[in-house]
């Protein structure tokens, strides 16, 4: 069970959707980087075909993500 306090700006994370049942090798899992942490969600900028993000400062839109669905 993940908590908001476990995440910080610039941290690389893995999103594991509910239907993956915890399988971190599931093809729908996505890697990204934390851009900020709110009161309920972790805002993640997910990697794209343009290249791997490294700092969270890249110019992409962050997606609000339930911290329970993220792995460090």
């Amino acid at each position: 069970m993940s908590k908001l306090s476990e995440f910080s700006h610039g941290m690389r994370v893995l999103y594991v959707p509910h239907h993956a049942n915890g399988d971190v090798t599931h093809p729908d899992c996505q890697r990204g980087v934390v851009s900020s942490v709110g009161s309920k969600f972790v805002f993640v900028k997910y990697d794209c075909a343009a290249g791997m993000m490294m700092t969270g400062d890249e110019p992409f839109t962050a997606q609000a993500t339930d911290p329970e669905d993220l792995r460090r």
Side-chain angles (χ1 to χ4, degrees), residues 7-68:
F7 301 97
S8 60
H9 174 81
M11 179 182 288
R12 297 279 308 159
V13 294
L14 176 68
Y15 166 71
V16 181
H18 290 285
H19 66 269
N21 296 316
D23 178 5
V24 297
T25 64
H26 192 281
D28 292 341
C29 292
Q30 297 180 54
R31 295 200 177 276
V33 64
V34 174
S35 63
S36 65
V37 179
S39 60
K40 291 185 179 183
F41 298 103
V42 177
F43 292 87
V44 179
K45 293 180 181 178
Y46 290 100
D47 295 349
C48 65
M52 187 172 77
M53 291 178 280
M54 299 302 288
T55 67
D57 295 322
E58 293 79 8
F60 299 101
T61 302
Q63 301 295 313
T65 307
D66 185 334
E68 298 297 324

